Amino acid sequence: TSENGKVHKKHYPKFRQIANFVEIIDRDIGDFVQSAERPISILDLWCGKGYLTFAAYDYVASRAKQQPRASGIDINTNVIDLCNALSRKLKFDGLVFKNARIEPTKPEPVDILIALHACDTATDDALALGVRSNMNYFFCAPCCQAEIAQQTETSTNGFDLINAYPLMKRRQADIVTDTCRALLLTALGYEVKFLEFTPLEHTAKNLML
């Protein structure tokens, strides 16, 4: 934003993504946030510059009965240092950022797990960690679902017709990938739904799981 708090035009799409993301959290689990009798734990995987992490923490902290515990994880050291400095400046005592990779085999307590455009199989790593951590709520906008796309390109001729059109081939891979994720979560007892969390004009990757 500018010094007077006005969002810069070139950053408005990102601003709307973050705002819409938090609005959905409020709509879907606002009652949980306000009624929890213990500190709520939040984990943002591949947090980047922490836009969503800060927004989600501020939302929960302003409504919950107790100060939440939140972590943002990313492999970019410079970004982590910047975010931790800002967290201290804002006196967000329950929010820390860590320079680390997602380790699905090392669960940690988490109530709300969020991932905004974790690329390709990073979304699957986030899901795996969340499931093993007995997460209560998961909000994810997948991105760059390349794993299935690569497999269909090298598969037997069963996919020849589907792969005839490059644009549709990639979109098919996106749909198959996210549908499989939803089916796995459903099989594990989670209630799953898809929605478009922001208009396409703000990002082409506007599907939320």
Side-chain angles (χ1 to χ4, degrees), residues 184-206:
L184 286 168
L185 285 171
T186 300
L188 292 169
Y190 286 93
E191 179 184 351
V192 181
K193 61 183 177 181
F194 288 101
L195 56 88
E196 293 180 328
F197 74 97
T198 193
L200 280 171
E201 65 197 61
H202 296 154
T203 175
K205 300 292 185 179
N206 73 334

Side-chain angles (χ1 to χ4, degrees), residues 92-110:
F92 282 4
D93 297 332
L95 174 59
V96 296
F97 292 85
K98 303 174 183 178
N99 179 215
R101 293 185 177 275
I102 301 173
E103 297 189 61
T105 59
K106 294 184 178 181
E108 55 183 288
V110 58

